[in-house]
Amino acid sequence: MPQNKSSRTGAPGVETIYAPQYLSTTLGMFILVFLVAFEAMAVTTVMPLVSEVLDGKRLFALSFAAPMASGMLGMVAAGEITDRWGPKIPLFASVAVFLAGLLVCGTAGSMEILISGRILQGIGGGAITVAIYVLIARAYPGSLHAKIFALFATAWVLPALIGPWLAGLIATFIGWRWVFLGVMGLVALAFCAIIPALDRLPRESHSELGPVSWKRLLLAGLAGAAVIAMNLLGNSGGAWSLPALLAALLLALLTIRPLLPKGTFSVRRGLPATMSTRTLVAGAFFGVEVYLPYLLREDYQLSPDRAGLVLTASALSWSVGSWLQGKLGDKLSNSHSITLGALASTVAISTALLTAVYHPPVAVLICGWAVGGFGMGMIYPRQNVNMLKLSAEHEQGFNSSAMTLADSLGTAGATALGGVIFATAAAGWGFISVFSFCLALALVLIIVSPRTKPAARPAA
């Protein structure tokens, strides 16, 4: 399999991402990822208030589906550009688009305008993720990749812990508009810390790749439209929604397939299987997690703050798992880390299913879901590390884009299907049906996770 050239970058023997030559880049990327994640969490908190103030309750679901869909376009565009000219241009452009989205949302006078800002946020946020993945490949030696992705996991976990609370305070005492406007300066400052690393990168021009593929951009747009349809259908209910949802899912699969490495759907060993595991684990884990607060409220009559403890426990253990895999480094292979994460996620989903059936003490679910969070911390960073390891330099943008698309496909597909399954299940069987579906995905994940290890090369 092709190997990237990042091992030639950086000083030999450096074992920390906080070395002087990396410090500003590390902190800048961490803050940038943190702010993108914070926005995602904060908007969830304030959107009910925003839709009420702007008289846009009918567009509430679209305010979340739109940036998820437009993010696919941003991911593919960033992948196309980074493979041809490196990560500098797409990072400048994506941060500018993200800032424009924040400005539009923060000054919106109607729900329609706010959704247009959310679309810009989605494009910018999706492109930022892809460009940062490629920057990591170019600016850090391969031995530090597990550590930098572990730090990024923390950048996503912290907003899950403080984002809703902080957004609530901002909306209550300053105003909901500052949930968008208040982070603009911080985004700009974080990006400024990354600019020196971008300036140090050699100029690139892979003319052999040809011009940017408009076909891929069109396919990304169609895939985004399919994701919007899946999201809306998954929350609509009704007997007709399942066949319509399956049609939208088929459209999403057909349009995304050319945007993924060949062999992803057939789980070919190595890079394609790595993409497959991202779709499966995202669908299995998040397909269950969105229902856990609902389960605890319906079956245990817990208040929202107490029901949220299960998500807090998972977020904390996710950070621990991510730290551990980064600490182990090459002592634990990427394939073994992915398999361990798959096993832990399956334990967590099984615990959720048993909770829905037998209603044990809540502590059982909290502990079980914490195991799942630990597993996600083990699996997510190593999927990214494995992807970069198995990517040639001129493919890093395409494959980084594919990884984020695989993630979006798994999350959107499983939550949408789960919504229809829940709505159409017999009385008392909603949670059991959804969790059983996600458990099936997790079991498939266990089976295919060893295939993330590339086939051995034949002896010369």
Side-chain angles (χ1 to χ4, degrees), residues 83-85 204-211:
D83 279 342
R84 287 161 175 78
W85 299 290
E204 299 180 43
S205 179
H206 293 281
S207 58
E208 70 277 8
L209 296 178

Side-chain angles (χ1 to χ4, degrees), residues 292-302 422 431:
L292 293 184
Y294 189 11
L295 170 69
L296 293 174
R297 184 170 180 81
E298 287 289 310
D299 291 2
Y300 289 85
Q301 288 75 52
L302 294 185
F422 187 87
F431 295 117

Side-chain angles (χ1 to χ4, degrees), residues 102-127:
L102 291 173
L103 181 61
V104 171
C105 289
T107 58
S110 68
M111 197 67 173
E112 290 80 4
I113 294 176
L114 184 130
I115 289 176
S116 69
R118 295 284 287 151
I119 291 173
L120 292 175
Q121 279 188 277
I123 293 173

